[in-house]
Amino acid sequence: MTDAEDVARRVRAVGIEVQAVTDYGWPGQIELALVDSVMSIRARYGTETSGVLGRVLRYRSVVERHPLDDLSEFSRLDPDWLQGLLGLQRSGGRLKSEVCLDVAGRLLDAGIAKASDVEVDSPAHKSAWTGTVGLGWVTWEYFTMLLGRTGVKADTMIIRFVSKAIGDGTLDPKRAHGAVIGAAELLGAQARDLDHAIWRQESGRAVRR
């Protein structure tokens, strides 16, 4: 039995209902998608007043531009102000607020200012993201998912579920990613919808991700 078949079997066995998620992410708002994807690294997603979601909504509430879809404006934010808003969490040894500003600049250099500029399969666009210290392919996948593309964010919750399904406690993110992609095909579901359903199951949460 393949990894994908094992995952599909476990989805059915635990009674996970895979539904189309219509309010996922921040389509058309690249600033919110960027903040969400960076802040979510090794962090609780939280609620509207706590965790990653709380910080994203705080940013949305204090910036008087809507939609929040302009990395040129974002890149000009005061670093100290953004740090005060997003906190002192780190990734790759750097403040996440610093990572946010760094990747915004790199994306601009690659020709991305707005959500509509992102070409998911562009090597240049992907490398602008993954070449940023503190970021990698998992967060790139999540960033594009938040902008509306289907995919799988191979984070702790997904890896844990897939590990249980295939009986391998040493699972790496790429294998978990492939297993969920394959399972979604077997189940006739969008990969992002299955990802979200598994995440809700493992986290015991019902909030958006």
Side-chain angles (χ1 to χ4, degrees):
M1 186 171 287
T2 66
D3 289 352
E5 289 170 332
D6 283 334
V7 171
R9 182 179 61 178
R10 180 168 175 79
V11 167
R12 296 188 185 102
V14 300
I16 293 177
E17 185 177 356
V18 183
Q19 299 178 327
V21 182
T22 58
D23 64 344
Y24 188 101
W26 314 101
Q29 300 195 77
I30 197 169
E31 295 169 61
L32 299 183
L34 186 153
V35 172
D36 190 320
S37 53
V38 173
M39 294 306 298
S40 71
I41 300 170
R42 294 184 300 280
R44 286 180 57 254
Y45 199 69
T47 68
E48 293 184 356
T49 58
S50 67
V52 175
L53 181 59
R55 287 179 170 84
V56 174
L57 295 181
R58 192 179 310 142
Y59 176 79
R60 187 176 68 176
S61 71
V62 299
V63 179
E64 298 178 352
R65 288 183 290 105
H66 296 283
L68 290 166
D69 192 37
D70 191 340
L71 291 185
S72 295
E73 293 288 344
F74 184 89
S75 67
R76 289 195 284 269
L77 292 173
D78 179 74
D80 292 334
W81 177 86
L82 190 62
Q83 176 188 319
L85 191 70
L86 300 183
L88 299 176
Q89 293 183 11
R90 293 177 175 267
S91 180
R94 312 167 72 198
L95 288 169
K96 288 183 179 179
S97 58
E98 178 185 349
V99 175
C100 285
L101 291 173
D102 187 4
V103 73
R106 290 175 60 87
L107 292 174
L108 282 168
D109 290 343
I112 299 172
K114 300 181 181 299
S116 59
D117 297 328
V118 176
E119 297 175 12
V120 176
D121 298 319
S122 165
H125 289 184
K126 183 177 182 179
S127 65
W129 182 279
T130 59
T132 306
V133 175
L135 301 180
W137 71 268
V138 172
T139 49
W140 167 253
E141 180 106 353
Y142 184 45
F143 174 64
T144 63
M145 289 166 64
L146 291 171
L147 291 176
R149 192 198 188 196
T150 192
V152 171
K153 181 192 178 190
D155 61 7
T156 301
M157 301 296 181
I158 296 297
I159 292 173
R160 186 167 70 193
F161 183 89
V162 176
S163 294
K164 293 174 185 174
I166 68 176
D168 184 348
T170 62
L171 193 68
D172 64 79
K174 285 193 177 294
R175 187 176 173 189
H177 176 275
V180 176
I181 292 287
E185 294 178 1
L186 293 174
L187 295 166
Q190 289 288 323
R192 189 179 66 182
D193 294 339
L194 178 57
D195 167 285
H196 192 66
I198 291 173
W199 181 82
R200 289 199 315 268
Q201 170 74 20
E202 288 297 305
S203 66
R205 301 296 297 275
V207 297
R208 63 185 291 165
R209 167 170 171 266

